[in-house]
Amino acid sequence: MMRASRLRWLRMEWWLVGLLSTAIALFMVFDRTTERLDRLIYDSMVRWHQHAPDPRILLVTIDQRSLQEVGAWPWTRETHARLIGTLAQGRPKAIAYDILFVDSKPGDGDLASAMATVPVYLPLLFDVPGSNGRAFDSVLPVEPIRHAAAGFGHVNLISDGDGLVRRIRRYDGDARERWPHLMELVRRAVQPDRPGPTSDDTEPRLLSFAGPPGHFPSIDAATLLRGEFPPEILRDRIVLVGATAQGLGDRHPTALSAPDGVMPGLEVQANFLDQLLSGRSVLQAGPVPECLLALIPLWLLLIAFTRLQPRGVVAATLVLAVLVLTVSIGSLFLLHQWLSPAPALVMLALVYPLWGWRRLAAVSGYMIRELETLRAEPDVLAPSPTATGRMDPVSRQTLLLNEAIGQVRDMRRFVADSLDQLPDALFVVNEGGSVLLANAAGKALLAQAVPAAGSDIAALIALLQPADEAASDGNWPTRSPSAWPPAGEESRQEVLLPDGRCFDLRIAPRLAADGHRIGWIVRMTDVSFVWAARQQREETLRFLSHDMRTPLTSILALTGTAPAGDFQPDMRQRINGYARRTLELADGFIHLARAQMLRFRPEPINLSDLLKDAVDELWPQISARNIEATTIGEDQDLLVMGERSLLTRALINLIDNAIKYGGEGGHLTCSLSVQETEGHSLAVCAITDTGPGMPADLVDRLFERFQRDGRSHVGGAGLGLSFVQTVARRHGGAIRCDSKPGEGTTFTLILDLLTD
């Protein structure tokens, strides 16, 4: 009962841990508690998955060298116009000129004229806060540059909480106005047939960097202005122009920053353009898939707690963690969606020790309670227990466990010593037939009979032969142990060893606590002396049945055929009487011994058929004495379990007894009926005669050996009724005699009725 209650409590704790961990996982998904860990994992994946950028992208950098050669920043409009004109000579596909032209300066017209020869896309400025309470104002390039540009886009970057740039919006703005990113404008110019997002797409895109700074092909502006380059390298290229010099401020920290910790904004824009051109733009996954990724591994681990051993749970935890990372990586690089793995990993790392602690605490508490209970039970084999009142739990548990182990060892020694004192050979056998435990007599028998078999009991069983093949119970275990008696059955057999010794062999299944078989218990009792005595008695019976009966029958034959003058008138009668009485005594003794010794297997028998056979056999005697015989109920089917020959002989003895003592011209009644006693059905056979009857004191000792009823001068050996009583008892029944002087006698045989 306590075990069942403890198991229910463990299951309840399992559900509590599962529900609590589910709530924590959902909280981490929606609250972004593990965002810092997610960023570290994402950055590691990005560093691991570097790739070659789109070969069409070319960077034109305004670096430190260009500032030294061309002049200090800001450059004049004429310098920018000359740079754009130089680029236009190479006929690029598009130019993204990441320089703000929001202030009017001399040379704006020259710059606008240079921009008219090639598609040039310019950035705009978000002035925060805006005028009249607006969040921002959009500041476009000045005229006439605004008119000459092919398009305008924002170049805003998003810094995460750790200061690193990982996200860019394709569209940015508010409900009043939204602007596409500058790189999105360039992508439209290069891929006009590929549909793009709508202006409502303001969801930040994660940057999957192609590589560290310097990964994209580039050329500095000073080289272009000097004309020291072949124009062919610009043909159909996408040119991004921007400031990369350290003093210009357009540098940002990223996951793949240079050793100085930053990446030029121009290269950040180039990475974003590379993603847009290849279709690898990464979105953050929605809450549903992120919740599934956090909860499915968690519940798989919880189920593993109930199915696997501790070592298997450790392996399952590691496998689930690898699976979570694999799913996240696959989603990032195949589906271009970022599934945050951190909530799932954190829950796996949290739930495993949490459940391990709860299970360990439960097992520890259960162990202490059981050990205390065991300690409180009386044990005459163990010494008095030590006091544990002020001990800490670990020391107390250790002491209790040490005492319990000592008790088990003492008990094992006691059992082994007790078994060794048994005279019978005893074996405890497993399913495979190997001996797990044997007493001294068993070891000696195994070593004598099959010294080469070791601990294999099947080799010993195979040597045995049934002492009586006719009485074998059908479960003779000479085959493999798998064919031995099933659970709930027992095999018992008298067997012989090749050396002539006889044993009473019993094989009983050994069951576990849940009822399934885990082996056998084999006991072999040496009954050689009993077997020899039985053989001697059988020899005696054979002597009586043959050697003694043969002379008697010869005497009867001789007196019956000898001439009349060979004997005195009464001598012949006296000799015949003595011979018949002696023959009757021998037959009665043989029948009684057979009733006591015969080993039979009961079978269904119709008692009505047996009664008819008995009456038919004695019909000549009934006719010779002019007895009126009546049978009642002989047409009923009264099935009983028994041995046919013994029951038939018992009925013959009862009817013969009624014929002898019923007198000449009497009446014999044989009746069959069914009697109900306490819900149990009995078959009743009554044999009634009309003889003189008997007194009560004679009825009480009537079934004793060599006891005759004394109702007449009819001879008899006094063994017939003792035979009937023996047969009735061996069939689980009874025999009863009802008689009074002058009222006749009734013998009633009662047997269990076989019902469906």
Side-chain angles (χ1 to χ4, degrees):
M1 186 70 180
M2 184 177 292
R3 291 181 179 178
S5 175
R6 192 61 203 163
L7 288 176
R8 285 195 297 270
W9 177 248
L10 279 176
R11 283 195 292 268
M12 185 181 299
E13 284 200 353
W14 182 86
W15 278 107
L16 289 175
V17 170
L19 295 176
L20 177 62
S21 56
T22 298
I24 294 174
L26 293 176
F27 174 78
M28 288 192 297
V29 168
F30 289 101
D31 190 63
R32 299 294 178 189
T33 307
T34 59
E35 190 172 19
R36 180 173 296 182
L37 179 58
D38 279 322
R39 292 168 183 165
L40 293 176
I41 297 174
Y42 180 81
D43 292 344
S44 299
M45 292 181 182
V46 169
R47 294 189 191 99
W48 170 72
H49 190 68
Q50 298 182 28
H51 58 275
D54 193 310
R56 293 173 294 179
I57 299 176
L58 176 66
L59 304 185
V60 175
T61 61
I62 303 176
D63 55 4
Q64 196 67 32
R65 177 184 172 185
S66 299
L67 294 179
Q68 293 173 355
E69 291 188 13
V70 178
W73 192 262
W75 286 349
T76 62
R77 295 290 197 266
E78 290 80 1
T79 302
H80 288 296
R82 188 157 56 92
L83 180 57
I84 292 176
T86 303
L87 292 174
Q89 294 176 8
R91 292 187 292 178
K93 195 78 173 178
I95 298 175
Y97 211 87
D98 189 15
I99 302 295
L100 291 173
F101 299 108
V102 295
D103 297 325
S104 297
K105 290 187 179 180
D108 286 343
D110 295 336
L111 180 57
S113 299
M115 292 171 57
T117 60
V118 64
V120 178
Y121 298 89
L122 296 178
L124 55 84
L125 174 66
F126 282 176
D127 190 11
V128 180
S131 58
N132 299 325
R134 295 177 178 175
F136 65 91
D137 287 332
S138 301
V139 182
L140 298 176
V142 298
E143 289 290 352
I145 299 175
R146 182 191 310 172
H147 182 73
F152 310 100
H154 76 88
V155 289
N156 297 336
L157 302 178
I158 302 175
S159 296
D160 289 330
D162 57 359
L164 299 184
V165 173
R166 296 184 185 87
R167 305 168 193 269
I168 295 180
R169 288 187 176 90
R170 265 187 164 181
Y171 281 86
D172 203 355
D174 56 15
R176 179 174 56 87
E177 57 178 345
R178 287 188 176 88
W179 294 93
H181 194 277
L182 183 63
M183 297 300 108
E184 173 64 20
L185 293 177
V186 175
R187 185 204 65 80
R188 292 180 189 175
V190 176
Q191 298 174 336
D193 298 333
R194 196 175 105 188
T198 64
S199 60
D200 294 333
D201 184 13
T202 58
E203 186 71 20
R205 304 297 173 117
L206 285 163
L207 288 170
S208 178
F209 293 92
H215 196 61
F216 286 84
S218 64
I219 184 171
D220 61 88
T223 302
L224 286 174
L225 292 174
R226 290 196 308 268
E228 297 176 355
F229 72 96
E232 290 76 12
I233 66 172
L234 298 174
R235 190 178 304 277
D236 295 328
R237 301 289 287 268
I238 304 172
V239 180
L240 305 185
V241 182
T244 61
Q246 294 184 2
L248 300 185
D250 191 15
R251 302 174 70 85
H252 309 276
T254 65
L256 292 179
S257 295
D260 59 359
V262 293
M263 176 181 287
L266 182 65
E267 294 201 41
V268 176
Q269 308 294 352
N271 278 282
F272 186 43
L273 177 60
D274 180 63
Q275 284 186 208
L276 295 176
L277 292 174
S278 61
R280 292 193 300 267
S281 184
V282 180
L283 277 172
Q284 179 76 40
V288 173
E290 290 208 335
C291 290
L292 291 177
L293 182 63
L295 296 181
I296 291 177
L298 170 63
W299 279 96
L300 288 178
L301 181 61
L302 289 171
I303 294 173
F305 288 150
T306 64
R307 298 288 187 269
L308 302 179
Q309 297 296 324
R311 182 178 299 178
V313 172
V314 173
T317 305
L318 296 176
V319 169
L320 289 173
V322 172
L323 183 62
V324 168
L325 290 174
T326 302
V327 170
S328 183
I329 293 172
S331 175
L332 175 62
F333 298 122
L334 297 179
L335 304 178
H336 310 302
Q337 282 199 343
W338 171 236
L339 278 171
S340 301
L345 296 177
V346 169
M347 291 313 303
L348 292 178
L350 178 64
V351 170
Y352 177 76
L354 175 62
W355 175 250
W357 165 67
R358 288 308 310 144
R359 183 166 58 178
L360 183 61
V363 171
S364 178
Y366 173 76
M367 182 179 295
I368 289 180
R369 285 191 297 272
E370 290 296 312
L371 290 174
E372 289 283 11
T373 302
L374 178 64
R375 191 170 189 256
E377 295 176 357
D379 186 4
V380 297
L381 301 178
S384 300
T386 308
T388 61
R390 296 185 179 181
M391 289 186 176
D392 63 273
V394 175
S395 300
R396 181 184 176 195
Q397 185 173 349
T398 303
L399 178 62
L400 292 174
L401 185 60
N402 184 58
E403 288 184 358
I405 292 173
Q407 289 181 359
V408 171
R409 287 174 177 167
D410 292 341
M411 183 59 68
R412 288 181 61 184
R413 183 61 182 268
F414 172 76
V415 170
D417 292 344
S418 300
L419 291 179
D420 283 341
Q421 301 302 317
L422 296 177
D424 299 339
L426 187 67
F427 306 93
V428 179
V429 184
N430 65 9
E431 281 279 303
S434 296
V435 177
L436 302 177
L437 180 65
N439 63 354
K443 294 176 183 177
L445 177 61
L446 197 61
Q448 293 170 6
V450 280
S455 62
D456 187 7
I457 192 67
L460 174 62
I461 301 295
L463 291 177
L464 304 176
Q465 294 297 326
D468 187 355
E469 293 285 355
S472 178
D473 64 0
N475 286 330
W476 176 240
T478 56
R479 297 160 289 175
S480 65
S482 60
W484 288 3
E489 299 184 13
E490 179 181 348
S491 172
R492 181 177 181 180
Q493 190 78 50
E494 284 191 355
V495 295
L496 294 173
L497 274 175
D499 61 7
R501 284 183 291 174
C502 183
F503 290 88
D504 179 28
L505 172 66
R506 296 190 182 189
I507 301 179
R510 186 165 62 96
L511 306 179
D514 58 1
H516 77 278
R517 187 183 66 197
I518 59 175
W520 293 269
I521 297 177
V522 180
R523 192 184 77 179
M524 297 181 65
T525 304
D526 193 339
V527 293
S528 300
F529 293 106
V530 177
W531 172 256
R534 188 184 301 145
Q535 293 295 101
Q536 187 175 3
R537 184 168 67 171
E538 290 180 356
E539 290 291 335
T540 302
L541 290 177
R542 281 194 291 269
F543 168 76
L544 289 175
S545 64
H546 182 268
D547 296 342
M548 204 175 162
R549 292 180 83 257
T550 299
L552 292 173
T553 55
S554 299
I555 291 173
L556 291 174
L558 180 62
T559 57
T561 58
D566 290 349
F567 296 94
Q568 294 181 4
D570 61 341
M571 184 64 66
R572 183 192 304 269
Q573 184 177 358
R574 292 172 61 187
I575 292 174
N576 285 343
Y578 292 143
R580 286 192 180 93
R581 185 175 179 184
T582 305
L583 185 60
E584 242 181 64
L585 180 63
D587 286 342
F589 186 78
I590 291 169
H591 287 312
L592 179 60
R594 182 171 177 268
Q596 293 173 339
M597 295 174 51
L598 181 65
R599 285 173 294 187
F600 60 88
R601 189 177 302 160
E603 60 179 347
I605 303 172
N606 192 344
L607 193 59
S608 300
D609 295 339
L610 299 186
L611 180 62
K612 293 176 184 177
D613 293 342
V615 172
D616 290 343
E617 183 167 336
L618 294 175
W619 188 255
Q621 291 90 323
I622 295 173
S623 300
R625 295 179 65 88
N626 296 318
I627 295 175
E628 182 182 354
T630 303
T631 56
I632 302 173
E634 73 276 10
D635 295 331
Q636 301 181 72
D637 289 332
L638 302 180
L639 295 180
V640 297
M641 294 295 293
E643 205 282 327
R644 181 178 296 274
S645 63
L646 291 181
L647 288 176
T648 302
R649 171 54 58 182
L651 293 175
I652 289 175
N653 285 3
L654 292 176
I655 296 173
D656 183 60
N657 196 71
I659 293 172
K660 288 179 181 180
Y661 300 106
E664 290 282 344
H667 189 81
L668 171 66
T669 303
C670 303
S671 65
L672 293 172
S673 62
V674 177
Q675 178 180 334
E676 298 291 338
T677 303
E678 297 179 356
H680 188 61
S681 300
L682 301 174
V684 179
C685 178
I687 310 296
T688 304
D689 63 56
T690 55
M694 292 176 288
D697 60 336
L698 185 58
V699 171
D700 293 339
R701 61 179 187 273
L702 188 61
F703 295 101
E704 298 177 2
R705 290 188 181 187
F706 307 111
Q707 180 64 44
R708 299 171 58 197
D709 62 13
R711 288 181 292 175
S712 68
H713 297 290
V714 178
L719 295 176
L721 293 180
S722 180
F723 170 85
V724 173
Q725 186 183 54
T726 300
V727 171
R729 288 177 176 175
R730 289 204 63 185
H731 284 78
I735 181 70
R736 185 177 71 240
C737 177
D738 299 304
S739 181
K740 291 182 179 180
E743 296 183 5
T745 302
T746 299
F747 286 93
T748 305
L749 178 63
I750 303 173
L751 299 172
D752 287 332
L753 184 65
L754 184 63
T755 58
D756 294 337

